[in-house]
Amino acid sequence: MDVATAIRDMLVRGAPAIGISAAYGVALGAKQHWSEHHIAWQDYLLRDMEYLGTARPTAVNLAWALKHMSNIVQAMPANQPPFIPLLQEASTLHTQDAMLNQRMGALGASLIHTPTAVITHCNAGALATGGYGTALGVIRAAHTAGNLTEVFADETRPWLQGARLTTWELQRSNIPVTLMVESAAATCMAQGKIGWIIVGADRIAANGDFANKIGTYPLAIAAHYHKIPLMVVAPTTTIDMATPTGLAIPIEERTPNEILHCGTSTIAPQDTKAWNPVFDVTPATLVNTLVTERGIVHHPDANKLAELMDS
Amino acid sequence: MDVATAIRDMLVRGAPAIGISAAYGVALGAKQHWSEHHIAWQDYLLRDMEYLGTARPTAVNLAWALKHMSNIVQAMPANQPPFIPLLQEASTLHTQDAMLNQRMGALGASLIHTPTAVITHCNAGALATGGYGTALGVIRAAHTAGNLTEVFADETRPWLQGARLTTWELQRSNIPVTLMVESAAATCMAQGKIGWIIVGADRIAANGDFANKIGTYPLAIAAHYHKIPLMVVAPTTTIDMATPTGLAIPIEERTPNEILHCGTSTIAPQDTKAWNPVFDVTPATLVNTLVTERGIVHHPDANKLAELMDS
């Protein structure tokens, strides 16, 4: 399916955006299969959805959205055109995601009491979600409240989402942003100007460990060393109670070519061996605050997440 | 002077190589000034050397080499051609540096008792020194001794010295090397395969704090978090007893363009603000072992460094 290719090739990226795209992809797939096989369209569609689920292994929102859509597909009558109801469902997920982001933005911003600069990693903004953003949603809300002076954005090798997306998105919103290599983040912290580290998440395990873009883990370690609090912003659909700890989160490794080249330039000798894990896992012990649409969890652990998910 | 331009524009980089190049530059400058002003050549040369000293502020080897050459220039008779003796002096510094590297390599390797993989940052190899290398000298010696299985090389944004130089140098020496973005180093450590972090230094303060390529500090913090020892390898000419602590080390900031572009590709929106410090300072408390040509210092501090420099 084209949507699977779009996710695999990183045309669509960001955990919530991947989930939403997948939901729209299901609607489009249903339209095609209905036109070809009026009777067995559900079987064909569910097979496609299984394939779609393999497109990116780390983010759990994809699996969540597909499970949600799969339940709806299976409950639908086989003899009625499925496209419009599934499209409506995808659109609802999309709108809901943007609303959740607004709510998380307000909750997260309520924790930032005095004007400060913050660091963010990768892009957890409107370009990664249904709109507004998770980490960038908090940043937007804190900026509106007058409590955010500047964002230091990690460039985020190898895909440079920070350089290419976060700077663009924040500049468009007139939020002061300074780009740096992620290697400079610790020095930025040491200079005493950073009040919070604010990031999104691709999957949160039941004990609060979370996977996010490669580079989040060392950022969290450096924040801990400098006693700067780390805020993780993600909807509860990112929490996977079936994943007990971070150890059980599959980490996608992509082609070494992403490291051997930068843009159109070759940056390493031919035949260089390279290792390209694109996510890492940060233990819950390094998380000060998890912000979800259902509320704020300080120092998340298994008990607190179980309580949150039951709420 | 052309040598100052070569250092400023990063055609020559690596603290020891900068010092050696400066010494050769002094010899070349003496040749020119002698041919033009037989009497006042020393004054002209010393003025050039002052300018040369501003080419890169962080590395202390440049200042050391220039002070060394300056003492020699001032002691020379004004009426004799200075080129050959100064060329010989530069060549001696060059040969000595390679010999010191060999000695440090053996000393550092003696600390690695069982076969392990290591991480290095930037390039502290033959391409950064008079030959053999400081950090890469230890890596070479440990590999020869059969105690080094693999080197994980940080690509080292923004100049990519790891991707462009360290991989090339280690491949030429048949030492297994795997390239990664520096963001992946913490995950590499978490996987339990790294026995040592081995880096060079651009300046070591009297208390053991040290400046090195941006990204060394977060690497040291991550090593500390994972209880992996950090080895700093540098000749005593890198130790600056006149710099009391890391706070007093000037950190060079270079043009934002180095971050806004990668090779020939533009990687950020036009007019993006960027911050580009090219060195960082790691506190002595994160250093397990300092390897110099005069010996090994465990957990360096002001007393131990004073003792080392008096030895």
Side-chain angles (χ1 to χ4, degrees), chain A residues 150 155 157 163-164 167 171 178-179 182-183 187 215 217 225-226 262-265 267-269 272-275 280 283, chain B residues 150 155 157 163-164 167 171 178-179 182-183 187 215 217 225-226 262-265 267-269 272-275 280 283:
Chain A
E150 185 175 13
E155 65 172 5
R157 283 282 292 153
R164 298 185 300 143
T167 55
Q171 281 170 24
T178 299
L179 180 65
E182 29 271 35
S183 275
T187 296
Y217 177 42
Y225 180 81
H226 291 97
C262 185
T264 52
S265 307
I267 56 171
T272 297
K273 188 180 159 200
W275 178 53
D280 59 21
Chain B
E150 185 174 13
E155 64 172 5
R157 283 283 294 154
R164 298 186 299 144
T167 55
Q171 280 170 24
T178 299
L179 180 65
E182 30 270 35
S183 274
T187 295
Y217 176 43
Y225 180 80
H226 291 97
C262 185
T264 53
S265 307
I267 56 173
T272 297
K273 188 181 159 200
W275 178 54
D280 59 21

Side-chain angles (χ1 to χ4, degrees), chain B residues 14 32 49 63 66 70 78 85 90 93 96-98 101 122 140-141 155 164-165 169 177-178 207-208 235 248 284:
Chain B
Q32 186 196 330
M49 288 165 73
L66 288 174
S70 164
L93 288 184
Q96 272 175 350
D97 188 70
N101 286 347
C122 195
R140 281 176 209 284
E155 64 172 5
R164 298 186 299 144
L165 307 180
E169 196 173 327
V177 56
T178 299
N207 73 337

Side-chain angles (χ1 to χ4, degrees), chain A:
Chain A
M1 282 166 81
D2 292 345
V3 176
T5 307
I7 293 171
R8 210 182 296 272
D9 293 352
M10 308 262 302
L11 300 179
V12 177
R13 35 69 53 198
I18 288 172
I20 295 163
S21 304
Y24 282 116
V26 168
L28 289 171
K31 184 177 188 181
Q32 185 195 332
H33 288 306
W34 168 264
S35 73
E36 289 169 7
H37 329 270
H38 264 36
I39 304 197
W41 67 270
Q42 277 152 313
D43 292 343
Y44 284 98
L45 182 61
L46 291 166
R47 208 175 49 196
D48 277 359
M49 288 166 73
E50 236 172 80
Y51 173 71
L52 184 53
T54 65
R56 308 216 57 203
T58 303
V60 78
N61 308 59
L62 175 59
W64 180 89
L66 288 174
K67 183 145 184 270
H68 179 85
M69 295 302 277
S70 163
N71 289 342
I72 291 172
V73 166
Q74 286 173 295
M76 287 172 83
N79 59 353
Q80 284 178 25
F83 177 56
I84 296 298
L86 289 176
L87 184 67
Q88 278 168 344
E89 189 57 36
S91 169
T92 302
L93 288 184
H94 187 165
T95 313
Q96 273 176 349
D97 188 71
M99 277 171 52
L100 299 188
N101 286 347
Q102 297 262 2
R103 193 177 316 159
M104 290 188 285
L107 280 173
S110 75
L111 298 167
I112 304 175
H113 306 296
T114 48
T116 185
V118 304
I119 294 175
T120 192
H121 188 71
C122 196
N123 175 267
L127 297 167
T129 63
Y132 201 67
T134 52
L136 291 195
V138 170
I139 284 168
R140 282 176 209 283
H143 182 254
T144 302
N147 282 333
L148 192 137
T149 54
E150 185 175 13
V151 178
F152 284 84
D154 279 352
E155 65 172 5
T156 318
R157 283 282 292 153
W159 270 76
L160 298 162
Q161 290 94 335
R164 298 185 300 143
L165 308 179
T166 299
T167 55
W168 182 85
E169 196 173 326
L170 292 177
Q171 281 170 24
R172 270 194 45 160
S173 300
N174 290 315
I175 299 174
V177 57
T178 299
L179 180 65
M180 61 183 176
V181 297
E182 29 271 35
S183 275
T187 296
C188 190
M189 294 182 206
Q191 293 180 347
K193 53 191 168 197
I194 302 299
W196 284 90
I197 313 296
I198 306 179
V199 298
D202 286 85
R203 187 189 304 207
I204 301 171
N207 73 337
D209 296 349
F210 74 103
N212 193 42
K213 180 60 53 204
I214 190 80
T216 304
Y217 177 42
L219 191 69
I221 295 171
H224 180 73
Y225 180 81
H226 291 97
K227 300 188 173 49
I228 297 170
L230 171 68
M231 186 192 299
V232 179
V233 189
T236 50
T237 49
T238 306
I239 300 173
D240 181 16
M241 297 304 279
T243 300
T245 74
L247 286 174
I249 302 177
I251 295 300
E252 180 180 0
E253 295 190 7
R254 296 176 63 90
T255 166
N257 282 332
E258 294 179 359
I259 300 186
L260 304 180
H261 302 88
C262 185
T264 52
S265 307
T266 298
I267 56 171
Q270 231 184 344
D271 300 327
T272 297
K273 188 180 159 200
W275 178 53
N276 186 22
V278 293
F279 298 94
D280 59 21
V281 173
T282 301
T285 47
L286 296 177
V287 179
N288 289 75
T289 312
L290 169 63
V291 175
T292 76
E293 81 282 6
R294 295 196 200 169
I296 293 166
V297 182
H298 293 290
H299 302 289
D301 61 22
N303 288 335
K304 292 179 188 171
L305 287 197
E307 206 175 299
L308 177 81
M309 296 306 275
D310 284 344
S311 66

Side-chain angles (χ1 to χ4, degrees), chain B residues 20-84:
Chain B
I20 294 162
S21 304
Y24 282 116
V26 169
L28 290 171
K31 184 178 186 178
Q32 186 196 330
H33 288 306
W34 168 263
S35 74
E36 290 170 5
H37 329 270
H38 264 36
I39 305 199
W41 67 270
Q42 277 153 313
D43 292 342
Y44 283 98
L45 182 61
L46 291 166
R47 208 175 51 195
D48 277 0
M49 288 165 73
E50 239 172 78
Y51 173 71
L52 183 52
T54 65
R56 306 212 62 202
T58 303
V60 77
N61 309 60
L62 175 59
W64 181 89
L66 288 174
K67 182 146 185 269
H68 178 84
M69 296 302 278
S70 164
N71 290 342
I72 290 171
V73 166
Q74 287 173 296
M76 287 173 83
N79 60 350
Q80 285 178 24
F83 178 55
I84 297 299

Side-chain angles (χ1 to χ4, degrees), chain B residues 33-272:
Chain B
H33 288 306
W34 168 263
S35 74
E36 290 170 5
H37 329 270
H38 264 36
I39 305 199
W41 67 270
Q42 277 153 313
D43 292 342
Y44 283 98
L45 182 61
L46 291 166
R47 208 175 51 195
D48 277 0
M49 288 165 73
E50 239 172 78
Y51 173 71
L52 183 52
T54 65
R56 306 212 62 202
T58 303
V60 77
N61 309 60
L62 175 59
W64 181 89
L66 288 174
K67 182 146 185 269
H68 178 84
M69 296 302 278
S70 164
N71 290 342
I72 290 171
V73 166
Q74 287 173 296
M76 287 173 83
N79 60 350
Q80 285 178 24
F83 178 55
I84 297 299
L86 289 175
L87 185 65
Q88 279 169 344
E89 189 58 36
S91 171
T92 302
L93 288 184
H94 187 167
T95 314
Q96 272 175 350
D97 188 70
M99 277 172 53
L100 299 188
N101 286 347
Q102 297 262 1
R103 194 178 314 158
M104 290 188 285
L107 280 173
S110 76
L111 298 167
I112 305 174
H113 306 296
T114 46
T116 185
V118 303
I119 294 175
T120 192
H121 188 71
C122 195
N123 175 266
L127 296 168
T129 63
Y132 201 67
T134 51
L136 291 195
V138 170
I139 284 167
R140 281 176 209 284
H143 182 253
T144 302
N147 282 334
L148 193 137
T149 54
E150 185 174 13
V151 177
F152 284 86
D154 279 352
E155 64 172 5
T156 319
R157 283 283 294 154
W159 271 76
L160 298 163
Q161 290 94 335
R164 298 186 299 144
L165 307 180
T166 299
T167 55
W168 183 85
E169 196 173 327
L170 291 177
Q171 280 170 24
R172 269 193 46 161
S173 301
N174 290 314
I175 299 174
V177 56
T178 299
L179 180 65
M180 61 184 176
V181 296
E182 30 270 35
S183 274
T187 295
C188 190
M189 294 183 206
Q191 293 181 347
K193 53 191 169 197
I194 302 299
W196 284 90
I197 314 296
I198 307 180
V199 298
D202 286 86
R203 185 187 308 205
I204 301 172
N207 73 337
D209 296 348
F210 74 103
N212 193 42
K213 182 58 54 204
I214 190 79
T216 305
Y217 176 43
L219 191 67
I221 296 171
H224 180 73
Y225 180 80
H226 291 97
K227 300 188 171 54
I228 296 170
L230 171 68
M231 187 191 299
V232 179
V233 189
T236 50
T237 49
T238 306
I239 300 173
D240 181 16
M241 297 305 279
T243 300
T245 74
L247 286 174
I249 301 177
I251 295 300
E252 180 181 359
E253 294 190 8
R254 296 176 64 89
T255 166
N257 282 332
E258 294 179 359
I259 300 185
L260 303 179
H261 302 88
C262 185
T264 53
S265 307
T266 297
I267 56 173
Q270 233 184 343
D271 300 326
T272 297

